[in-house]
């Protein structure tokens, strides 16, 4: 039988993507990896670093999770199609509820409110302290999208499916955008699940938030089992589909996985690229579960 | 006019050859009986009797009507008896079905056990797939069935649920046959024999999903109905079969799966509101047979449940 790496590579090819994967058995340290140190634009995966920092700062007493922020209506709010970003009127919400929306529906307005509250430097410093030296944020989401609008030019969002335009997007260049590697993000998840990022009620609160993600078309699609828990965070930009998450089996097995993909097809809807994240996640976890 | 009753009166008069004696036998007044015979003659448009001093005699037309009436009345008697049996329930005929793979001992126990619970009742038992049972229950050609779940049971009522653990039927020479129980993941790379998907599509999918969940990726799945060909595949060593506990044929062995990862849910089912005494007797018989002969569990093996936010319903 083919090696698991061979099967993962073949699955990426079948889905029409270049992909990387890092999967880690949180308790034994066993790994499966395919291009795990490739640098990717993290897109919304970086919200994982953001909410981790929030709970870690709260544990250190520098932030109050129940403190409420007012997000004004209109231009003061980051664009997006979900959560507070899609709302029309002012919203007041606690920091931890903003974190919930940030994960559950990848709410850009909620996330940027937290970026503003914590500061980029704090988030980056947290990653350094956790040993994730290749995971760096350079801008909040509103600047990322402003850059995309600028690069897309006068034809607006429609240009984002034009290969020539997609080729020049700074957002897709990991050297000029928020960035990280599959291995770094998997290590971050392992730290969260081992209570190393933050402990006690803060660790539990952070894991709860990561379990709220509503979308099941990527990593969770590979684990259609009622007794298996999947937590995670997606990241999406033109041609890019990512997810970083943790899969927990009732026998105690827990596996952190990051899958990053880059599609040749510039279509806005790429169901095969979404699904392959579940497929390769499952291949990796099945391999880690074989004793 | 109540034709059947008038024909019965006519028959009695013909048998007695005398209206007075017939009236006595029928316990009706003679004038009333005469009127009824005249009414029948008007209705049919023929004379049935010639009257004479000693009584009455059939006309040629009357002889024809008597012959035809005999058949009609016999059929009416059969109909009445059949309907009475159905109303009685317990003594009536019941059309029932069991799925393939229920196990010979359990089916035999249903066949022998039903008369004890329903003396005089007739059980017409067939083997029918779950999909076939659902079709026939809806069409009214089946009164009660033993169904494999999950399946669409919207217009049905269900008897108590049983959980029938699956094990592995394999050739005696297979290396796995040495273990007292087999891990589902150990079957990775094996060719599996499972019933054809159209027999019970949801159960087929549930079974293969559970295999995947427990680390079993078969090299191939043979959709083969239980029977000689399925046994031959196992006996030849080409494949292993997932089956409830079964008395294995020579050359094969059946082993349970470690941790009971697969248990087929089974219950009786009948059309909503149609649970007569015979249906209840069948349900009790089937429950008892499954418990004694099919190794069923009263409760589903427990497991945690983590509904996801995408399910859109909180639990």
């Amino acid at each position: 039988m083919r090696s698991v790496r061979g099967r993962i590579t073949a699955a990426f090819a079948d889905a029409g993507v270049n992909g990387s994967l890092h999967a880690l058995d949180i308790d034994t340290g066993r790994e499966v990896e395919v291009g795990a140190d490739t640098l990717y634009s993290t897109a919304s995966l970086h919200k994982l670093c953001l909410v981790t920092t929030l709970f870690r700062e709260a544990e250190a007493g520098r932030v109050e999770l129940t403190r409420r922020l007012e997000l004004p209506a209109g231009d003061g709010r980051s664009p997006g199609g979900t959560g507070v970003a899609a709302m029309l009127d002012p919203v007041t919400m606690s920091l931890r509820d903003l974190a919930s929306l940030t994960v559950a529906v990848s709410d850009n307005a909620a996330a940027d409110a937290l970026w503003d509250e914590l500061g980029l430097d704090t988030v980056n410093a947290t990653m350094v302290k956790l040993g994730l030296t290749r995971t760096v944020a350079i801008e909040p989401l509103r600047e990322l999208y402003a850059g995309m609008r600028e690069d897309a030019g006068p034809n607006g969002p429609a240009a984002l499916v034009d290969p020539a335009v997609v080729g020049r997007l700074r957002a897709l260049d990991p050297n000029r955008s928020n960035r990280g590697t599959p291995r770094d993000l998997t290590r971050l998840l392992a730290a969260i699940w081992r209570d190393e990022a933050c402990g006690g009620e803060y660790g539990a609160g952070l894991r709860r938030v990561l379990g709220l993600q509503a979308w099941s078309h990527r990593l969770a699609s590979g684990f259609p089992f009622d007794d298996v828990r999947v937590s995670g965070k997606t990241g999406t930009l033109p041609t890019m589909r990512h997810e970083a998450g943790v899969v927990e089996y009732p026998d105690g097995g827990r596996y952190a996985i990051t899958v990053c993909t880059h599609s040749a097809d510039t279509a806005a809807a790429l169901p095969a690229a979404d699904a392959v994240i579940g497929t390769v996640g499952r291949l990796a976890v099945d391999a880690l579960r074989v004793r | 006019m109540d034709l059947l009753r008038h024909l019965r009166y006519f028959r009695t008069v013909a048998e007695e050859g005398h209206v007075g004696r017939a009236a006595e036998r029928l316990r009706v007044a003679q004038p009333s009986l005469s009127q009824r015979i005249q009414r029948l003659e008007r209705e049919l448009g023929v004379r049935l009797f010639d009257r004479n001093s000693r009584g009455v005699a059939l006309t040629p037309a009357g002889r024809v009507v008597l012959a035809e009436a005999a058949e009609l009345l016999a059929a009416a008697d059969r109909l009445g008896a059949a309907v009475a049996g159905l109303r009685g329930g317990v003594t009536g005929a019941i059309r029932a079905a069991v799925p393939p793979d229920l196990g010979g001992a359990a089916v035999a126990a249903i066949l022998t056990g039903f008369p004890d619970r329903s003396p005089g009742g007739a059980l017409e038992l067939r083997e029918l797939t779950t999909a076939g049972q659902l079709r026939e229950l809806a069409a009214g050609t089946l009164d009660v069935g033993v169904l494999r779940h999950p399946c669409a049971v919207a217009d049905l009522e269900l008897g108590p649920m049983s959980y029938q653990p699956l094990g592995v039927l394999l050739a005696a020479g297979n290396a796995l046959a040495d273990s007292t129980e087999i891990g589902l993941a150990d079957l990775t790379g094996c060719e599996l024999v499972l019933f054809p998907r159209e027999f019970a599509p949801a159960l087929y999918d549930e079974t293969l999903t559970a295999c995947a969940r427990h680390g079993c990726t078969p090299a191939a799945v043979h959709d083969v109905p239980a029977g000689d060909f399925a046994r031959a595949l196992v006996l030849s060593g080409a494949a292993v079969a997932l089956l409830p506990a079964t008395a294995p044929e020579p050359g094969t062995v059946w082993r349970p799966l470690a941790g009971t990862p697969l248990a087929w849910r089974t219950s009786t089912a009948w059309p909503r509101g149609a649970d007569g005494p015979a249906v209840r007797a069948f349900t009790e018989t089937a429950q008892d047979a499954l418990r004694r002969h099919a190794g069923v569990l009263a409760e589903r093996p427990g497991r945690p449940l983590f509904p996801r936010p995408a399910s859109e319903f909180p639990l």
Side-chain angles (χ1 to χ4, degrees):
Chain A
M1 185 169 290
R2 275 165 100 174
S3 72
V4 63
R5 296 184 73 228
R7 296 171 71 195
I8 289 169
T9 306
F12 281 138
D14 282 350
V17 301
N18 286 317
S20 299
L21 170 142
H22 187 237
L24 174 70
D25 183 325
I26 291 174
D27 299 295
T28 68
R30 290 179 62 203
E31 296 175 281
V32 173
E33 65 102 6
V34 174
D37 296 309
T38 310
L39 200 61
Y40 280 88
S41 291
T42 41
S44 290
L45 282 186
H46 232 103
K47 290 169 181 163
L48 192 57
C49 309
L50 174 70
V51 295
T52 303
T53 304
L54 175 71
F55 279 82
R56 200 173 149 94
E57 291 295 293
E59 186 184 30
R62 291 189 284 270
V63 164
E64 185 60 53
L65 287 174
T66 54
R67 193 161 68 77
R68 295 157 75 84
L69 293 185
E70 174 159 339
L71 282 64
D75 290 344
R77 200 180 282 179
S78 296
T82 56
V84 175
M87 303 296 144
L88 300 175
D89 299 315
V91 168
T92 302
M93 202 179 284
S94 71
L95 296 180
R96 62 183 179 180
D97 284 348
L98 288 166
S100 292
L101 277 181
T102 296
V103 172
V105 293
S106 206
D107 183 339
N108 291 329
D112 274 351
L114 294 175
W115 278 119
D116 294 345
E117 191 67 16
L118 296 166
L120 284 175
D121 291 346
T122 311
V123 177
N124 287 333
T126 301
M127 296 305 112
V128 170
K129 281 180 200 138
L130 292 172
L132 314 178
T133 52
R134 305 190 68 200
T135 303
V136 181
I138 63 167
E139 58 191 357
L141 293 153
R142 76 172 79 80
E143 285 173 30
L144 177 90
Y145 294 122
M148 274 175 59
R149 279 197 300 277
E150 208 173 283
D151 294 344
N155 291 333
L160 294 176
V161 295
D162 175 344
V165 172
V166 169
R168 66 169 183 257
L169 292 179
R170 276 170 288 168
L172 303 186
D173 179 353
N175 295 306
R176 294 190 291 167
S177 181
N178 295 349
R179 54 186 165 265
T181 66
R183 189 187 306 277
D184 258 15
L185 291 164
T186 300
R187 279 190 183 153
L188 173 59
L189 289 165
I192 294 167
W193 257 258
R194 289 189 196 123
D195 266 0
E196 292 165 7
C198 51
E201 62 178 291
Y202 299 95
L206 176 54
R207 289 188 290 271
R208 170 188 167 273
V209 162
L210 294 175
L212 294 176
Q213 203 217 149
W215 297 331
S216 51
H217 57 318
R218 293 194 186 158
L219 185 60
S221 72
F223 302 88
F225 315 127
D226 286 350
D227 62 346
V228 173
R229 195 197 300 265
V230 181
S231 307
K233 183 70 202 82
T234 53
T236 310
L237 281 173
T239 70
M240 295 195 342
R241 303 288 184 277
H242 308 327
E243 185 155 358
V246 170
V247 177
E248 296 171 274
Y249 279 70
D251 62 6
R254 359 181 244 174
Y255 313 91
I257 306 154
T258 304
V259 182
C260 295
T261 71
H262 200 152
S263 159
D265 190 341
T266 56
L270 293 169
D274 292 323
V276 76
I277 292 173
T279 304
V280 298
R282 189 49 191 290
L283 285 169
V285 167
D286 282 352
L288 291 172
R289 283 177 66 78
V290 172
R291 278 174 270 277
Chain B
M1 189 180 74
D2 178 350
L3 181 64
L4 288 172
R5 185 194 296 187
H6 281 73
L7 285 174
R8 281 202 178 88
Y9 288 170
F10 159 67
R11 183 172 63 182
T12 307
V13 173
E15 284 167 6
E16 293 293 335
H18 194 277
V19 178
R21 286 200 296 276
E24 213 167 293
R25 196 172 129 194
L26 291 167
R27 297 172 199 278
V28 295
Q30 185 177 340
S32 159
L33 182 56
S34 292
Q35 280 168 18
R36 284 173 189 270
I37 296 300
Q38 284 161 21
R39 190 156 174 219
L40 182 63
E41 287 178 322
R42 278 200 304 278
E43 183 80 19
L44 298 175
V46 291
R47 263 174 66 81
L48 298 169
F49 293 108
D50 289 321
R51 278 75 178 170
N52 57 40
S53 56
R54 291 194 308 279
V56 294
L58 283 169
T59 63
R63 281 197 288 277
V64 172
V65 172
L66 182 64
E68 296 294 330
E71 277 182 41
L72 202 56
L73 291 171
D77 290 345
R78 282 199 305 276
L79 179 68
V83 169
L86 288 177
R87 274 201 303 267
V90 172
T91 61
I94 183 168
R95 298 161 301 175
V98 292
D101 301 343
L102 195 63
V107 176
I110 291 173
L111 285 167
T112 56
F114 186 76
D116 294 342
R117 282 197 164 76
S118 183
L123 173 64
E124 290 173 25
L125 189 66
R126 285 181 291 155
E127 183 181 270
L128 208 53
T129 65
T130 289
Q133 289 187 41
L134 291 173
R135 275 195 299 276
E136 294 216 11
L137 286 166
T141 53
L142 185 67
D143 299 314
V144 62
V146 176
L147 288 180
R148 300 285 198 195
H149 298 272
C151 59
V153 294
D155 297 321
L156 303 177
E157 288 181 65
L158 304 181
M161 199 66 78
S162 300
Y163 303 89
Q164 198 174 14
L166 289 198
V168 191
L169 186 71
L170 64 176
N174 192 308
L176 292 169
D178 296 338
S179 326
T180 52
E181 52 178 27
I182 294 173
L184 202 40
D186 297 336
L187 300 180
T188 285
C190 288
E191 299 191 4
L192 282 186
V193 176
L194 196 59
F195 58 84
R197 185 172 184 275
E198 65 266 26
F199 284 13
L203 179 63
Y204 183 93
D205 294 348
E206 184 187 83
T207 305
L208 289 184
T209 299
C211 285
R213 154 69 182 85
H214 291 278
C216 168
T217 310
V221 180
H222 299 281
D223 289 11
V224 181
D228 284 344
F229 189 68
R231 280 194 295 275
L233 284 173
V234 171
L235 200 54
S236 72
V240 302
L242 286 177
L243 281 178
T246 180
E249 303 260 308
T252 63
V253 294
W254 184 89
R255 294 284 180 261
L257 283 168
T260 323
L262 292 169
W264 282 350
R265 286 171 281 173
T266 304
S267 83
T268 53
W270 56 90
R272 189 171 294 285
D275 62 333
V279 165
R280 285 195 289 275
F282 180 81
T283 287
E284 286 167 18
T285 308
Q287 265 295 101
D288 192 48
L290 281 167
R291 207 168 46 240
R292 284 169 192 261
H293 300 285
V296 303
L297 308 172
E299 296 206 357
R300 188 177 206 187
R303 55 181 197 153
L305 182 65
F306 301 119
R308 297 171 187 180
S311 67
E312 295 194 74
F313 51 86
L315 282 178

